[in-house]
């Protein structure tokens, strides 16, 4: 039995090993992802972002518990991927999000994995998407992805998730500024957590006001500035706009989880009704493919152009004798016209 | 591009509230370039083994100053083995009477540390334990 089959059969340690290989970008990891890929595309990916300390992990703990013990219907299987920053100096990291996720211990329908950002700046690690794919293939219905929470717009998460929660908390000082800096654009649902704290109503009002202002331009910013070519024809032209709701929670006391779950369910229904679910899926896959293609083409091309030629042309640019655009033209011409070991 | 990072779980089993040592060690390991999963206080052996499995760690570090080590440590070792993680190195630190040290080592604990241990020594021992078995690296 291959390890991918073990993962599909629900063996937790096999899954955990595969996640490590993916995270380390090893050949085994790529092999496993290849085998798991046909089984992906079923999970609802829920991003959770927001400034440090707003209560993202506490909220994920409560929400995951809610889906494990729903007031009605079957329990859903839940995975959590929690990303914390790596030290830029040593590369080390303290991953502390599990501290807040104690309520999920001992439940075999839950899988929590911590990841260090390993130098990536967009709020996720470079391999988070791969880790999420493996969890998706392993059959988790919902996958929560907690970002580093730099407080700025974290575009990576909006690109990866179907539904992005932006978590705010009262009393974070200039949080209104941070919101303006672009976080509204990635929010599908705004959460005001720590609603037990003074100032919660003010934060709620400020967010609601901003949403009203942002609403007219919603359509253009909804898709995170992504090219939508793959998606052409999928989205319905007269699809209703999604206006992000503002939901009040107190993760500390388990308040507001039903409201939040209802908002998530509404967003999912909206994505499905408008074709946006498929749009996001396709955008995600196209982005992934193009990134890989770019890397592969670059490598392939470099292996075909003599190092001396490359150095010479680079030197001409350094000494301002050749403009970069002309250098590119010359470098492309230096390659043989027909690459012969490309698969046809 | 392959990147191998030593992953360590630092846990405080039992009802012991002394967490300074665990935090000092966690920080030292981070500063040495390791990825440290810190799970906080009052962990049962079951929670520790479950976290070790989900996080696929190389090392489990237990910090115990309550005197309950002879009950807690064997249970953690047993659960790791049950989960197929007998290769995970278990390090123990805190207040461990001298006479208990050989018994812990015999059970399969990799090393035991008391008050005043230099964190550099702990870092060196973990590197040796994890990378010594492999071909080497950072
Ligand atoms: C500070 C302290 C406290 C503080 C704790 C603050 C905190 N948040 O940590 C407070 C005041 C709260 C406290 C309370 C109590 N304490 Co007290 N406390 C101490 C004291 C003086 C120092 C501990 C410490 O922080 N050291 C500094 C750290 C950095 O050192 P360390 O933990 O030993 O860690 C080092 C090594 O052991 C090792 N290490 C530790 N963990 C790990 C883990 C790994 C993986 C590795 C590799 C290495 C490693 O590396 C570290 C660096 O060198 C010790 C006495 C002593 N000298 O140790 C008593 C001591 C631990 N306390 C003791 C007691 C009895 C108590 C109380 C029960 C007292 C009471 N009756 O109320 C309560 C219980 C609290 C509780 N909920 O558990 C006893 C324990 C006796 C025993 N086990 O047999 C001690 C030994 C005092 C004594 N001589 O009686 N305590
Ligand atoms: N008063 C109050 N405190 C809360 C609430 N939710 C979380 N907290 C506390 O806020 C602190 C931070 O919570 P976390 O869940 O760790 O926040 P986080 O956003 O995941 O933090 P980082 O991962 O470090 O960015 C903890 O001390 C929580 O107990 C809440 O609803 N009300
Ligand atoms: Mg967190």
């Amino acid at each position: 039995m291959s390890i991918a089959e073990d993962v599909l059969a629900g063996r937790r340690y096999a899954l955990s090993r595969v996640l490590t290989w993916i995270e380390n970008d090893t050949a085994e990891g790529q092999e496993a992802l290849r085998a798991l890929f046909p089984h992906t595309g079923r999970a609802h990916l829920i991003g959770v972002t927001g400034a440090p300390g707003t209560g993202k992990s506490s909220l994920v703990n409560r929400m995951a518990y809610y889906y494990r013990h729903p007031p009605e219907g079957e329990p859903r299987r839940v995975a959590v991927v929690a990303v914390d920053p790596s030290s830029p100096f040593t590369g080390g990291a303290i991953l502390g999000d599990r501290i807040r996720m104690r309520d999920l211990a001992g439940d075999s329908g839950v899988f929590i994995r911590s990841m260090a950002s390993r130098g990536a700046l967009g709020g996720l690690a470079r391999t988070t998407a791969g880790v999420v794919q493996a969890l998706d293939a392993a059959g988790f219905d919902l996958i929560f992805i907690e970002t580093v929470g730099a407080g700025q717009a974290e575009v990576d998460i909006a690109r990866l998730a179907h539904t992005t929660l932006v978590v705010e908390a009262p009393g974070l000082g200039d949080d209104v500024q941070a919101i303006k800096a672009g976080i509204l654009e990635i929010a599908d649902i705004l959460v005001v957590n720590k609603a037990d704290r003074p100032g919660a109503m003010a934060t709620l009002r400020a967010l609601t006001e901003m949403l009203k202002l942002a609403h007219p331009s919603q359509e253009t910013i909804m898709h995170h500035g992504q090219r939508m070519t793959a998606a052409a024809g999928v989205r319905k032209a007269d699809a209703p706009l999604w206006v992000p709701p503002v939901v009040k929670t107190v993760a500390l006391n388990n308040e507001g989880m039903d409201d939040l779950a209802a908002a998530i369910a509404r967003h999912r229904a909206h994505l499905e009704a408008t074709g946006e679910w498929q749009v996001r899926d396709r955008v995600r896959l196209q982005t992934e493919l193009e990134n890989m293609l770019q890397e592969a083409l670059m490598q392939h091309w470099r292996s075909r152009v003599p190092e001396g030629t490359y150095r010479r042309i680079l030197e001409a640019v350094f000494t301002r004798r050749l403009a970069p655009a002309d250098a590119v033209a010359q470098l492309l011409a230096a390659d043989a016209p027909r690459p012969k070991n490309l698969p046809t | 591009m392959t990147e191998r990072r030593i992953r360590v779980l630092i846990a405080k089993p039992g009802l012991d509230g002394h967490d300074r040592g665990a935090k000092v060690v966690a920080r030292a390991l981070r500063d040495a370039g390791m990825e440290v999963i810190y799970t906080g206080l009052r962990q049962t052996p079951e929670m520790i083994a479950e976290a070790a499995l989900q996080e696929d760690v190389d090392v489990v570090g237990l910090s115990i100053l309550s005197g309950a080590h002879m009950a807690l440590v064997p249970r953690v070792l047993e659960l790791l083995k049950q989960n197929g993680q007998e290769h995970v190195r278990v390090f123990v630190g805190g207040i461990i009477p001298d006479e208990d040290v050989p018994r812990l080592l015999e059970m399969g604990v990799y090393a035991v540390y008391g008050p005043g241990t230099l964190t550099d020594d702990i870092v060196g021992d973990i590197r040796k334990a994890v990378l010594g078995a492999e071909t080497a690296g950072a």
Side-chain angles (χ1 to χ4, degrees), chain B residues 111-131:
Chain B
V112 180
Y113 304 88
T117 309
L118 296 177
T119 52
D120 281 352
D121 291 341
I122 298 173
V123 167
D125 291 351
I126 291 182
R127 281 216 180 106
K128 200 160 67 190
V130 176
L131 301 175

Side-chain angles (χ1 to χ4, degrees), chain B residues 16-21 61-63 65-67 93-95 113-115 117 122:
Chain B
D16 174 15
H18 296 92
D19 61 356
R20 264 194 220 163
L62 304 174
S63 182
L65 288 81
S66 64
I95 305 291
Y113 304 88
T117 309
I122 298 173

Side-chain angles (χ1 to χ4, degrees), chain A residues 12-13 16-21 23-27 30 86-87 90-99 102 104-108 110-118 126, chain B residues 1-5 7 9 23 26-44 47 50-58 83-85 87-88:
Chain A
R12 291 161 76 77
Y13 190 41
S16 190
R17 293 297 301 157
V18 164
L19 298 185
T20 303
W21 296 341
E23 195 178 14
N24 292 341
D25 202 4
T26 65
Q30 287 163 12
S86 298
S87 155
T90 68
I94 293 188
L95 313 176
D97 294 314
R98 286 188 88 98
I99 298 174
R102 315 175 52 93
L104 308 174
D107 181 347
S108 61
V110 175
F111 197 103
I112 306 170
R113 182 67 173 227
S114 312
M115 287 185 91
S117 63
R118 297 195 180 175
R126 206 171 52 85
Chain B
M1 189 184 62
T2 304
E3 194 177 5
R4 169 78 164 88
R5 290 255 163 219
R7 281 170 75 85
L9 178 75
K23 285 179 171 164
R27 252 176 254 129
L29 299 184
R30 175 199 60 193
D31 293 343
M34 300 179 197
E35 292 179 353
V36 182
I37 294 107
Y38 183 63
T39 55
L41 295 172
R42 280 180 284 285
Q43 299 278 305
T44 64
M47 289 162 93
E50 182 181 45
L53 179 116
Q54 294 178 352
E55 301 289 356
D56 191 21
V57 290
D58 305 294
N83 290 344
Q85 283 192 298
H87 57 278
V88 169

Side-chain angles (χ1 to χ4, degrees), chain A residues 90-158:
Chain A
T90 68
I94 293 188
L95 313 176
D97 294 314
R98 286 188 88 98
I99 298 174
R100 310 277 168 221
M101 302 186 189
R102 315 175 52 93
D103 297 337
L104 308 174
D107 181 347
S108 61
V110 175
F111 197 103
I112 306 170
R113 182 67 173 227
S114 312
M115 287 185 91
S117 63
R118 297 195 180 175
L121 298 174
L124 301 176
R126 206 171 52 85
T127 55
T128 301
V131 161
V132 167
Q133 274 184 1
L135 291 165
D136 181 353
F140 291 96
D141 303 308
L142 293 139
I143 303 175
F144 286 94
I145 305 145
E146 177 180 340
T147 75
V148 165
Q152 296 127 2
E154 293 184 323
V155 184
D156 285 357
I157 189 62

Side-chain angles (χ1 to χ4, degrees), chain A residues 179-192:
Chain A
I179 296 163
K180 269 190 190 154
I183 208 110
L184 266 192
E185 291 155 33
I186 65 164
D188 296 309
I189 298 171
L190 280 154
V191 182
V192 177

